[in-house]
Amino acid sequence: MRLSTADQNPDHQIDALLRAGVDRENIHIDKASGAKASRPGLDLVFQLLREGDTLKVTRLDRLSRSVLHLVTLGADLRERSIGLHVIEQGIDTSTTEGRAMFGMH
């Protein structure tokens, strides 16, 4: 998950991820406001993800701040056979509809 500002409360995102079945120890937080800001938590998650895993985020804007970065991340996930579940936007690439919605074939 990503917090845009230092004073942003992470509770909403944490609660949503826990309800979606994410174990607390698998929740990683980055505090970054800009599109190019360092994302050590996201980097760690991408190192930990393995084929067949699913990356869960509350919203796409918590995963990426730019369309280009989002497209790159989506391609990486697809190539590694890793699913993406965007909880609040109802995108789940384990379904045909979710793959079409996210542009994954």
Side-chain angles (χ1 to χ4, degrees), residues 64-72:
S64 175
R65 293 289 297 185
S66 75
V67 174
L68 179 58
H69 187 230
L70 188 59
V71 169
T72 302

Side-chain angles (χ1 to χ4, degrees), residues 32-100:
S33 60
K36 296 183 188 275
S38 174
R39 300 281 308 273
L42 182 61
D43 294 342
L44 174 62
V45 167
F46 268 78
Q47 289 175 10
L48 296 173
L49 287 167
R50 299 289 177 253
E51 183 177 332
D53 287 347
T54 299
L55 173 62
K56 294 188 181 199
V57 296
T58 54
R59 296 188 324 256
L60 285 175
D61 69 345
R62 300 295 89 191
L63 178 60
S64 175
R65 293 289 297 185
S66 75
V67 174
L68 179 58
H69 187 230
L70 188 59
V71 169
T72 302
L73 291 176
D76 183 39
L77 292 172
R78 181 177 57 251
E79 288 171 13
R80 295 173 56 198
S81 298
I82 296 169
L84 176 65
H85 180 199
V86 185
I87 299 163
E88 293 179 13
Q89 293 167 308
I91 299 170
D92 184 349
T93 63
S94 70
T95 68
T96 303
E97 296 84 7
R99 284 188 301 276

